[in-house]
Amino acid sequence: MFDPRHLRLLQEIARTGSLSAAALELGFSQPAVSYQLRSLEREVGTVLVVRNGRTTRLTPAGEALAVHANTILSSIQTAEQNLADIVGTQAGLVRIAAFPSGCATIVPAAMAAMRRIRPAVEIQLHQAEPPLALEMVRRGEADVAVSYRYDVPSPNRRPGAREAPLQRMPLLEDPMQVVLPAGHRLAERESIATGDLADATWIISSPCFEGILQRAALSAGFTPTVSMVADDYVAMQALVAHGLGVAVLPRLSLVAHHDERVVSRPVRGWPPRLVEVELWPDRMRVDAVATMLGALREACAPHKAAGHAAVPA
């Protein structure tokens, strides 16, 4: 029988790559961490961690156990919350990790609904982009990740990578819109094709987004000119407003903040952003978490109804 404290330790070593960093995170002394690690290795009968100078890495056995540790610790948290419901407190805790424009739109609406439906449930919100939000769920630091991905082929995963699967639930198809200065020659159109922007200078949100731009431009028969990268949607709209380029943004980001100096129009030839919830499957059995999932779906309803329309100025 594994000690959950030992599994939590292995989880932190895997995350931080250091015994001293894991000790600091867990509030233990380094000798105490070393003792717990040796105890765990005696339990499993093999070496789980090897040291290489100042860094620490997991052995193949350690990596395998770390994957199971995520699932085991999540199941323990589920049991604790289920027990609280059985006892009749109707209290609980739901921890959400969500991307920025989600934090400014659908998540507050869902949290407000939860306050009405289950006022005794405490809700904690962490703003995090999808890679970090999903990692927080895997480490047991969040119950629910509100994340997104673009509907494009994903790159090949590293052979042999092992990750226990999270449950994925679709919430919303978030269409892309081109953002132009108010006086732009295309501003009066109802929608804009990617090819109409062949001579434009582009402002993008991240180097990763450049791949999506390159594919869309290639399909339209041109090579895009990228002038700058700004990972903040407010800043991107301000850059567009000053005539420094055009940008393509998800509709939710424009609902969260719309600069009156720019116009947005649906753009043809771009993949939508798929907004989803991801969590450990057993977390869906926790009443408070299940209620929050329902609230998130309801919060998405007005945005589904808006569909591919331009965001009002």
Side-chain angles (χ1 to χ4, degrees):
M1 184 70 69
F2 294 121
D3 186 329
R5 294 171 299 177
H6 295 169
L7 296 179
R8 181 75 178 94
L9 169 61
L10 188 67
Q11 199 179 50
E12 280 303 313
I13 294 173
R15 183 178 73 88
T16 63
S18 163
L19 289 181
S20 58
L24 182 63
E25 182 69 24
L26 296 173
F28 296 144
S29 66
Q30 188 159 341
V33 163
S34 298
Y35 175 79
Q36 291 188 37
L37 178 59
R38 289 195 299 271
S39 298
L40 179 58
E41 289 177 333
R42 284 196 299 270
E43 289 176 10
V44 300
T46 189
V47 175
L48 300 174
V49 172
V50 293
R51 298 165 183 79
N52 183 14
R54 295 185 177 180
T55 62
T56 302
R57 64 177 178 83
L58 301 187
T59 65
E63 290 178 352
L65 183 56
V67 169
H68 290 295
N70 291 333
T71 307
I72 292 168
L73 293 172
S74 175
S75 295
I76 291 173
Q77 291 175 338
T78 299
E80 291 172 344
Q81 292 196 10
N82 274 338
L83 186 58
D85 287 337
I86 291 171
V87 172
T89 64
Q90 291 299 303
L93 170 67
V94 180
R95 300 161 301 165
I96 304 171
F99 60 94
S101 57
C103 285
T105 52
I106 58 176
V107 175
M111 292 174 66
M114 278 291 289
R115 179 168 290 181
R116 294 191 299 270
I117 300 168
R118 295 284 300 274
V121 174
E122 179 185 354
I123 303 172
Q124 293 180 357
L125 175 61
H126 304 272
Q127 181 173 293
E129 291 288 355
L132 177 56
L134 296 176
E135 185 60 26
M136 290 178 69
V137 169
R138 291 189 178 279
R139 295 199 305 257
E141 297 172 1
D143 301 298
V144 174
V146 181
S147 64
Y148 64 81
R149 60 187 174 90
Y150 288 95
D151 191 14
V152 296
S154 58
N156 293 329
R157 297 186 63 113
R158 177 173 58 88
R162 292 173 291 180
E163 283 186 335
L166 299 176
Q167 181 77 34
R168 176 184 289 170
M169 298 174 52
L171 285 179
L172 176 70
E173 183 179 295
D174 191 13
M176 306 301 290
Q177 303 216 340
V178 62
V179 181
L180 308 167
H184 195 277
R185 60 182 177 81
L186 300 175
E188 298 303 318
R189 295 192 182 183
E190 291 187 2
S191 66
I192 297 172
T194 305
D196 295 334
L197 301 165
D199 61 347
T201 298
W202 293 82
I203 302 165
I204 61 175
S205 58
S206 70
C208 295
F209 192 79
E210 188 169 4
I212 301 175
L213 169 61
Q214 295 289 353
R215 281 190 290 270
L218 180 62
S219 297
F222 70 94
T223 300
T225 300
V226 177
S227 65
M228 59 197 76
V229 177
D231 64 355
D232 179 89
Y233 293 140
V234 176
M236 291 179 74
Q237 291 182 54
L239 292 168
V240 171
H242 283 85
L244 299 175
V246 303
V248 171
L249 299 179
R251 192 177 191 280
L252 277 185
S253 69
L254 293 163
V255 172
H257 171 78
H258 190 202
D259 192 316
E260 63 183 12
R261 299 169 296 174
V262 305
V263 296
S264 65
R265 295 290 180 265
V267 59
R268 305 191 299 276
W270 282 73
R273 186 171 73 161
L274 304 180
V275 180
E276 301 168 327
V277 163
E278 295 197 49
L279 71 167
W280 289 111
D282 62 355
R283 305 301 284 164
M284 297 175 67
R285 302 202 308 268
V286 176
D287 182 62
V289 173
T291 305
M292 172 56 74
L293 295 181
L296 285 167
R297 285 191 290 265
E298 288 297 320
C300 288
H303 302 285
K304 288 181 179 179
H308 290 254
V311 177

